[in-house]
Structures are given as structure tokens and as C-alpha cells.
Amino acid sequence: MSGAGDEPFIAAVKPLVDAMGGEMIPPDEAGPDDVVLSWEGRDAVAVRLPQLADSLDHILAAMERRKGVPLADLDRRAKQEVVRILEARGAFSVRHGVETVASALGVSRFTVYNYLNREKGA
């Protein structure tokens, strides 16, 4: 990407970029919506952030990896916890967020709304 002195910095931020579903690109290829990260006074790397809908898919995949089983195989309580975490991360502000989450959990949209309402009433 940039100079050899930047490689430890790039290696350090890569897990964060991967977790966000972003893409690391050379700083000179950065567009207006990309985030350029500087290291020791020089542009080291640019990060292209994912679209929100892609981020939700990435978050769901990461949660599934963390749980070690498909989200649809979780019990009701674990699915409610997933919905609570996703709500805190803004998943339901994304267009078709409820449908995407319902599909990943193997439940209906109605069930996801029930989980959300249960949290608000608690």
C-alpha cells in the first residue's frame, strides 16, 4: 500500500477493517467517501467502508461464527439476545433489516418485531 514502515500499522488495523467488512486500498486510490489513515505523518492506507446493508450481512456472519452454529439453530432466548445486540448496533435502521435478520434467524418478521417489542416493554 504505502511505505515499508507502514506495514505494522496496516497489520494492526486490518482486524478492525475486516470486522467492519471494510476494504483496505492504497491511499492514492481513495475516493471522497473513503477514510484515509495516516501513520508517522504519511498516508498509510485508505479504508473503503461497506454499505450499511452489506455491514448487516457481515455482522450476521460474524455472530454466526462466534456462536459456532447457524443463527437459525439457536434457541429462542439466544435469538432474542441476537436481536437485542443487533438493535443496539442499528441493524433495524437499515432498509430490509428486519427481513434480513428474520431470514438469518429462521423466524418470521412478526417474531423479530415481537422480540423488539418485548425489549421495549421490559
Side-chain angles (χ1 to χ4, degrees):
M1 306 252 155
S2 228
D6 301 333
E7 287 171 16
F9 174 74
I10 292 170
V13 298
K14 186 175 181 345
L16 176 62
V17 173
D18 290 346
M20 296 182 325
E23 176 186 0
M24 298 175 84
I25 58 173
D28 58 347
E29 294 179 17
D33 294 331
D34 298 328
V35 179
V36 178
L37 303 177
S38 296
W39 178 249
E40 295 182 347
R42 291 190 327 234
D43 292 344
V45 65
V47 178
R48 181 157 294 151
L49 299 172
Q51 298 298 312
L52 282 174
D54 296 335
S55 291
L56 180 54
D57 290 338
H58 194 79
I59 290 167
L60 288 166
M63 291 182 91
E64 198 162 86
R65 281 193 306 275
R66 206 169 301 124
K67 299 282 187 189
V69 296
L71 296 178
D73 291 350
L74 297 173
D75 64 23
R76 183 174 54 85
R77 186 175 302 227
K79 288 179 182 182
Q80 289 171 336
E81 176 67 17
V82 166
V83 168
R84 186 171 33 256
I85 292 166
L86 291 171
E87 182 181 27
R89 294 186 72 177
F92 301 109
S93 62
V94 176
R95 184 174 178 172
H96 303 297
V98 171
E99 291 87 346
T100 301
V101 171
S103 176
L105 292 176
V107 299
S108 69
R109 290 180 348 190
F110 181 75
T111 298
V112 172
Y113 284 119
N114 277 341
Y115 291 168
L116 289 168
N117 289 334
R118 181 169 291 127
E119 281 305 307
K120 287 180 177 57

